[in-house]
Amino acid sequence: KADLELCFHRIEKKLRMPDSQLHFPVGNLGAYSKSYAEVRCVIMQCGQGEVKHWAFNDPLPRKGKHKDQPPSPAEYRKLPARIVELHPMTVIQNARTSGGGQVQLVPTQAASVGPVETWKAEKVSIWHAGVHDNPFGMRLTTLMISQKAPDSAVPMSLLAEHPNVQFNFYRPGIGTCAAEMH
C-alpha cells in the first residue's frame, strides 16, 4: 500500500512502469522466491524502520537459538521471503505512520522479501522520508553500511555486504540528533 500510494501512483501514468512489473511478496512465497531465478530484478526499493529493518526484515526475536546472541550476518542472509512476526516497535511505527495511531488495527505479521531475494537484486534503493525512522537511526545505518560493519541486530546494516546500495534522503526529514525534552 505504501509503495503504491506514496510512490508509484504519484508518477505520471504515462511515465509509470506497468503494474505487471511491480512484484510484492504475496500468495505462494516459495514461488515468489523462485521467481528471482527466472527474472532480472534491476532494482529493489525498500524503506527503513525504527528497528532498522528493510522490507520487514526486523531483528530476530531473542529466544530459542538466538536467546543470548543474534544470528551471524551470514546466517541471517539465508532467510528467504517469508511471513514474519513484526517487532512491537514496527507495529507501533506502522500505527503512527499509516494507521492513524490505532495500534490494535495494525497487523502483527507481514509477508516480507528476504535477504535471499534482496541479494539477487542488482541494486537496492532505500528511501528515507524522515518519518519511518529517526535522524540518529538514518545516520547509524548509513555509517554502518559505508564502513562495511554488518550486524544482524541492526538488519539494515547487512546491506553493507550488498554490492550496490543507494540511500535517498528527503532533506527536511534528516533532522538533528539533539536530545529534546518536551
Side-chain angles (χ1 to χ4, degrees):
K1 180 176 175 160
D3 284 334
L4 296 176
E5 288 183 13
L6 299 176
C7 181
F8 296 113
H9 289 170
R10 291 183 179 201
I11 299 170
E12 191 176 327
K13 193 160 182 112
K14 68 181 182 183
L15 301 174
R16 188 185 316 159
M17 74 172 73
D19 288 346
S20 64
Q21 294 180 10
L22 293 173
H23 303 282
F24 299 98
V26 295
N28 182 339
L29 296 180
Y32 173 83
S33 188
K34 285 180 185 176
S35 75
Y36 277 77
E38 301 164 1
V39 298
R40 177 179 172 214
C41 180
V42 176
I43 188 163
M44 180 181 288
Q45 187 275 321
C46 305
Q48 173 172 313
E50 292 278 355
V51 294
K52 314 309 167 249
H53 70 226
W54 86 94
F56 296 120
N57 286 290
D58 285 349
L60 295 183
R62 291 297 184 91
K63 60 184 180 183
K65 180 180 176 184
H66 303 296
K67 183 178 185 288
D68 298 318
Q69 183 174 324
S72 70
E75 183 181 354
Y76 194 103
R77 281 195 40 205
K78 292 178 184 176
L79 296 171
R82 65 212 183 279
I83 301 295
V84 297
E85 293 290 330
L86 298 178
H87 190 284
M89 283 180 56
T90 298
V91 173
I92 292 167
Q93 171 192 328
N94 289 344
R96 178 177 53 84
T97 61
S98 309
Q102 299 185 56
V103 176
Q104 75 280 7
L105 298 180
V106 175
T108 57
Q109 294 181 319
S112 182
V113 64
V116 167
E117 296 79 25
T118 302
W119 261 257
K120 291 179 182 176
E122 292 176 22
K123 180 178 190 173
V124 178
S125 173
I126 305 295
W127 287 84
H128 285 295
V131 295
H132 292 98
D133 195 7
N134 59 66
F136 175 78
M138 291 187 280
R139 287 169 172 83
L140 172 68
T141 55
T142 303
L143 177 68
M144 291 179 81
I145 290 171
S146 71
Q147 298 298 308
K148 305 261 185 244
D151 185 320
S152 69
V154 182
M156 181 67 79
S157 73
L158 299 181
L159 293 174
E161 298 175 332
H162 190 284
N164 190 5
V165 175
Q166 177 179 325
F167 274 26
N168 302 281
F169 294 92
Y170 175 60
R171 274 185 197 249
I174 293 175
T176 66
C177 291
E180 296 178 20
M181 298 301 291
H182 298 278

